[in-house]
């Protein structure tokens, strides 16, 4: 039997924005009065578990790391007076086992994220 890993993910669906056309406010728009409509408290968790095979996660991570290595090779410029010694990246793993790079402002947290730290090998 293949080994598997449980991935805990948010069950909250992604929200979409609907463009009403011009995007302009109506002249008398005073905004919403959210304090009049308190949000009901939910006792149900917004997280769920998904089983992903280790083989699938290994394949996704391998493809991601191969692509990152190709990108980071640009940092190794032979005529440069500086060298990249260490890099830290944050990734997210979704419920399907897909690995994604977290962009600016994203934080590793409730979405199955992890931080990878790469350090230059010591020359022997």
């Amino acid at each position: 039997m293949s080994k598997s890993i449980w991935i805990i993910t948010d069950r909250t669906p992604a929200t979409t924005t609907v463009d009403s056309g011009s995007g302009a406010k109506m002249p008398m728009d005073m905004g919403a009065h959210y304090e009049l409509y308190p949000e009901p408290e939910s006792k149900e968790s917004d997280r769920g578990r998904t089983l992903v095979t280790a083989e699938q996660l290994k394949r996704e991570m391998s493809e991601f790391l191969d692509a990152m290595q190709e990108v980071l090779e640009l940092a190794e410029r032979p005529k440069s007076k500086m060298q990249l010694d260490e890099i830290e990246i944050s990734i997210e793993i979704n419920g399907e086992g897909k690995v994604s790079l977290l962009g600016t402002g994203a934080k590793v947290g409730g979405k199955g994220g992890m931080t990878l730290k790469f350090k230059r090998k010591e020359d022997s």
Side-chain angles (χ1 to χ4, degrees), residues 1 4-5 12 14 19 40 58 67 72 81 92 98 102 110 115:
M1 183 170 170
S4 298
I5 297 171
T12 307
D19 185 6
K58 182 179 173 181
L72 295 176
K81 293 181 181 180
E92 176 182 275
K98 301 282 185 201
L102 288 175
T115 301

Side-chain angles (χ1 to χ4, degrees), residues 5-118:
I5 297 171
W6 285 103
I7 306 286
I8 298 174
T9 58
D10 292 332
R11 283 190 273 183
T12 307
T15 57
T16 57
T17 305
V18 177
D19 185 6
S20 62
S22 71
K25 284 186 167 186
M26 295 297 292
M28 298 303 292
D29 187 358
M30 302 299 283
H33 295 281
Y34 294 112
E35 68 278 359
L36 299 177
Y37 308 100
E39 233 178 86
E41 290 187 29
S42 172
K43 296 184 192 255
E44 189 175 319
S45 172
D46 286 340
R47 295 192 174 173
R49 293 182 353 150
T50 305
L51 195 60
V52 176
T53 66
E55 188 59 40
Q56 179 183 0
L57 192 53
K58 182 179 173 181
R59 184 177 54 250
E60 290 289 332
M61 186 66 82
S62 178
E63 288 177 15
F64 175 82
L65 291 174
D66 285 347
M68 283 304 302
Q69 183 174 353
E70 199 171 307
V71 170
L72 295 176
E73 285 175 359
L74 295 173
E76 295 294 319
R77 306 239 169 144
K79 295 182 181 181
S80 177
K81 293 181 181 180
M82 297 171 58
Q83 76 177 27
L84 180 65
D85 187 46
E86 187 174 288
I87 185 167
E88 190 170 311
I89 60 173
S90 295
I91 62 171
E92 176 182 275
I93 303 168
N94 72 11
E96 298 169 349
K98 301 282 185 201
V99 178
S100 304
L101 178 67
L102 288 175
T104 304
K107 301 213 187 283
V108 176
K111 292 189 175 184
M114 66 173 70
T115 301
L116 306 176
K117 188 173 182 179
F118 299 94

